[in-house]
């Protein structure tokens, strides 16, 4: 007999302190919905787990933490979430290298150009390939100095291509606009750190 989902009741019980029904729902969401769909696409079990965990995390944030209204067809909605998460996963896997990710991204172009101008001002021009490699090394060094929230926003949005609305849900921002403002602040901080590194 297939599992009968009742998310409204599961959420209600969880909010009253009884998490047993919710745990059962999440377990069956993985085993009956996500795993059968994703194992045919991702093939590797670790990838299936990673994508499933991502979907469950977003689902949990959106409908339990943020208390958004549940869709009428929850399983159908979760399938769409899984499909989107898999597409994003494939996009990341298909990136040939981190340099390509950086140089093809609008936000990274902003940072790249900032460094490039600084390098020119410092009379440190080398050939294009060497310059790009130096910039990549510098960006990675600076990234390690960021606060964890900045790292997560940049990783989710720039590297994984996740929209700010979903990031707001995942990270607990009140709105997508609030998450965007935080991202802009983080990018400005990166720029300052890069100037500092270059001027050393």
């Amino acid at each position: 007999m297939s599992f009968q989902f009742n998310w409204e009741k599961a959420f209600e019980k969880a909010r009253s302190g009884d998490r047993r029904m919710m745990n059962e729902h999440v377990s069956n969401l993985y085993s009956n919905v996500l795993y059968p769909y994703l194992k045919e696409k991702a093939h590797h079990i670790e990838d299936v787990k990673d994508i499933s965990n991502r979907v469950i995390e977003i689902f949990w944030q959106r409908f339990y933490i943020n208390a958004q209204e549940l869709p009428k067809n929850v399983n159908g909605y979760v399938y769409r979430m899984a499909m989107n998460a898999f597409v994003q996963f494939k996009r990341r896997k298909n990136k040939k290298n981190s340099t390509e990710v950086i140089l093809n991204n609008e936000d990274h172009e902003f940072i790249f150009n900032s460094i490039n101008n600084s390098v020119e001002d410092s009379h440190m021009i080398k050939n294009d390939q060497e310059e790009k490699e130096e910039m990549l090394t510098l960006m990675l060094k600076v990234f390690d100095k960021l606060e964890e929230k900045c790292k997560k926003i940049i990783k989710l949005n720039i590297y994984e291509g996740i929209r700010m609305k979903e990031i707001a849900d995942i990270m607990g921002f009140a709105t997508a606009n609030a998450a965007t403002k935080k991202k802009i602040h983080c990018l400005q901080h990166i720029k300052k750190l890069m100037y500092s590194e270059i001027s050393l």
Side-chain angles (χ1 to χ4, degrees), residues 74-106:
V74 173
N75 285 5
Y77 185 88
V78 170
Y79 274 121
R80 290 195 298 276
M81 290 176 68
M83 181 176 65
N84 291 336
F86 177 73
V87 168
Q88 291 169 357
F89 167 81
K90 287 294 291 182
R91 186 184 303 156
R92 295 195 304 272
K93 294 282 279 189
N94 288 337
K95 294 294 184 183
K96 292 182 180 179
N97 53 60
S98 58
T99 304
E100 182 181 353
V101 175
I102 289 172
L103 298 181
N104 286 342
N105 184 275
E106 189 175 279

Side-chain angles (χ1 to χ4, degrees), residues 3-15:
F3 183 79
Q4 298 297 312
F5 289 96
N6 186 337
W7 288 103
E8 290 88 351
K9 187 174 181 180
F11 282 168
E12 182 182 347
K13 283 181 171 290
R15 290 190 176 101

Side-chain angles (χ1 to χ4, degrees), residues 40-69:
E40 301 298 329
K41 295 181 174 298
H43 303 301
H44 299 294
I45 185 62
E46 290 305 316
D47 292 338
V48 171
K49 288 180 179 178
D50 287 345
I51 299 170
S52 297
N53 287 338
R54 167 122 188 87
V55 170
I56 290 170
E57 180 183 12
I58 294 173
F59 181 84
W60 179 260
Q61 285 281 345
R62 187 171 294 167
F63 298 110
Y64 185 80
I65 303 298
N66 296 338
Q68 294 183 20
E69 184 178 355

Side-chain angles (χ1 to χ4, degrees), residues 22-33:
M22 176 62 74
N23 291 339
E24 187 180 26
H25 270 56
V26 170
S27 176
N28 278 277
L29 182 66
Y30 172 75
S31 59
N32 293 344
V33 180

